[in-house]
């Protein structure tokens, strides 16, 4: 399996993202199997004109099984690309030909048609919001809801899906992830687009103010308080999904999280990220096998 990871100053600024994803992937799959797609600048420059040019081989097949995008600042990251519309089209083509995509928080945003919120940080009218997100890859054909503040959550498996599902096998025996880290992330509002698998739903949402991690180690993060009325609540909403375009038989699989399974504070959640990469890669293998 060959994996590409996006690296950008806008995806590495916050603890537990960016470089943490690279560290985990290298440990699981081996550094020789990991390729870094780097955007070293914080603003448009000529050396980013060829953004994502290497996602496809000369024969048009995906050069990687999976493209992984960590969390951070999605809008700043994408506008740091000199020609974001060209980058957008290259990512779309990669997925349309069977490449997988794993997006965490900001990575989930970039995969979507953008997002809205209840705090007034974004325009109330969708047509106005879309002007900000017009160059996002939008490989998941829906808007997300964006919620702010650092939170500790409980995430439960979708009971309508089989317990033999490969993603279920990444969970504890309870079928729940307790103490999962959510930080300025996203939820998918129903009804989702056709082709979506709803995987994890939030059933508890509280401030990240504990001094202990789930494994009992000390937490070095700051406390966070939020008002569910002002900032919105996650409870009852979907925070992890998978998606395949049902209209394209060669489409790759997206695995998207509105939270942070890679966080250094929640090692019990890391298995979820590994399973997502493997689940996306399985679809890549299926598409390639069908093409032979």
């Amino acid at each position: 399996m060959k994996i590409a990871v996006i690296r950008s100053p806008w995806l590495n600024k916050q603890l537990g993202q960016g470089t943490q994803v690279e560290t985990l992937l290298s440990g699981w799959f081996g550094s020789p199997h990991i390729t870094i797609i780097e955007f070293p600048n914080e603003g448009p420059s000529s050396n980013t004109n060829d953004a994502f040019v290497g996602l496809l081989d000369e024969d048009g097949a995906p050069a990687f099984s999976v493209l992984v995008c960590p969390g951070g600042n999605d809008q700043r990251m994408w506008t740091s690309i000199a020609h974001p519309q060209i980058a957008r089209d290259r990512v779309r083509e990669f997925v349309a030909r069977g490449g997988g995509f794993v997006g965490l928080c900001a990575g989930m945003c970039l995969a979507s048609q953008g997002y809205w919120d209840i705090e007034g940080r974004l325009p109330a009218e969708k047509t106005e919001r879309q002007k900000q997100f017009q160059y996002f890859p939008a490989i998941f054909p829906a808007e997300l809801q964006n919620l702010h503040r650092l939170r500790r959550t409980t995430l439960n498996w979708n009971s309508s899906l089989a317990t033999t599902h490969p993603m279920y096998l990444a969970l504890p025996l309870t079928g729940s992830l307790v103490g999962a880290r959510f930080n300025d992330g996203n939820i998918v509002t129903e009804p989702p687009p056709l082709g979506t698998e709803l995987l994890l739903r939030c059933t508890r949402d509280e401030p990240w103010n504990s001094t202990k991690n789930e494994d009992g180690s000390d937490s070095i993060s700051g406390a966070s308080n939020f008002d569910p009325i002002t900032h919105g609540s996650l409870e009852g909403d979907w925070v992890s999904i998978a998606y395949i375009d049902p209209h394209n038989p060669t489409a790759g699989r997206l695995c998207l999280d509105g939270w942070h399974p890679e966080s250094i504070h929640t090692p019990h959640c890391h298995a979820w990220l590994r399973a997502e990469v493997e689940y996306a890669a399985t679809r890549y293998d299926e598409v390639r096998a069908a093409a032979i």
Side-chain angles (χ1 to χ4, degrees), residues 200-222:
L200 294 179
R201 186 200 294 267
C202 178
T203 57
R204 186 172 182 179
D205 178 20
E206 59 188 347
W208 186 280
N209 55 13
S210 172
T211 59
K212 294 291 183 181
N213 297 317
E214 183 66 19
D215 63 356
S217 61
D218 290 331
S219 172
I220 60 174
S221 64

Side-chain angles (χ1 to χ4, degrees), residues 5-6 8 11-12 14 16-23 70-71 262:
V5 185
I6 301 173
S8 162
L11 301 180
N12 289 336
Q14 293 173 274
Q17 301 171 9
T19 53
Q20 166 70 357
V21 171
E22 296 174 18
T23 298
E262 84 288 359

Side-chain angles (χ1 to χ4, degrees), residues 3-8 12 18-19 21-23 25-26 31-40 52 55 64 67-68 70:
I3 302 166
V5 185
I6 301 173
R7 178 190 290 171
S8 162
N12 289 336
T19 53
V21 171
E22 296 174 18
T23 298
L25 294 176
S26 296
S31 296
H33 297 280
I34 309 299
T35 297
I36 304 300
I37 299 179
E38 186 160 11
F39 298 91
F52 300 113
L55 286 183
F64 306 97
L67 173 64
V68 180

Side-chain angles (χ1 to χ4, degrees), residues 36-175:
I36 304 300
I37 299 179
E38 186 160 11
F39 298 91
N41 302 294
E42 296 188 359
S45 66
S46 59
N47 69 352
T48 55
N49 289 356
D50 58 352
F52 300 113
V53 70
L55 286 183
L56 297 178
D57 287 330
E58 291 184 2
D59 63 358
F64 306 97
S65 304
V66 183
L67 173 64
V68 180
C69 184
N73 189 318
D74 50 277
Q75 294 193 60
R76 291 289 185 89
M77 184 271 156
W78 210 251
T79 55
S80 74
I81 300 173
H83 297 288
Q85 69 274 27
I86 296 176
R88 172 198 64 193
D89 293 344
R90 286 173 176 156
V91 172
R92 287 178 176 176
E93 189 69 12
F94 170 78
V95 173
R97 294 179 180 236
F101 184 94
V102 173
L104 312 178
C105 199
M108 184 181 193
C109 291
L110 288 170
S112 75
Q113 293 179 339
Y115 44 88
W116 58 277
D117 72 347
I118 65 171
E119 296 182 56
R121 301 191 186 191
L122 294 162
E125 294 295 326
K126 183 175 181 178
T127 54
E128 289 299 310
R129 289 195 300 274
Q130 290 303 296
K131 294 177 183 178
Q132 296 182 215
F133 308 122
Q134 60 180 320
Y135 295 133
F136 277 18
I139 43 183
F140 179 63
E143 261 197 321
L144 307 172
Q145 182 180 353
N146 190 246
L147 296 100
H148 304 104
R149 300 299 174 105
L150 179 60
R151 312 171 189 223
R152 182 181 299 276
T153 65
T154 296
L155 309 180
N156 282 18
W157 178 251
N158 183 352
S159 60
S160 69
L161 298 178
T163 54
T164 55
H165 192 290
M167 292 306 303
Y168 180 82
L169 301 179
L171 296 173
L173 294 177
T174 59

Side-chain angles (χ1 to χ4, degrees), residues 9-10 30 37 65 72 82 116 118 121 131 138 142 196 223 226 231-232 247 257 263 265 267 276 287:
W10 295 111
I37 299 179
S65 304
W116 58 277
I118 65 171
R121 301 191 186 191
K131 294 177 183 178
T196 302
F226 71 94
H231 305 114
H247 307 295
D257 292 319
S263 174
H265 303 296
E276 286 183 302
V287 172

Side-chain angles (χ1 to χ4, degrees), residues 221-280:
S221 64
S224 172
N225 295 307
F226 71 94
D227 176 358
I229 302 299
T230 303
H231 305 114
S233 173
L234 304 175
E235 291 188 12
D237 290 308
W238 299 101
V239 296
S240 289
I241 65 165
Y243 172 79
I244 298 175
D245 181 355
H247 307 295
N248 178 5
T250 66
R253 175 179 284 120
L254 317 181
C255 291
L256 307 176
D257 292 319
W259 57 291
H260 288 281
E262 84 288 359
S263 174
I264 60 174
H265 303 296
T266 57
H268 64 293
C269 296
H270 293 175
W272 180 262
L273 173 58
R274 178 173 184 168
E276 286 183 302
V277 174
E278 293 172 338
Y279 191 39

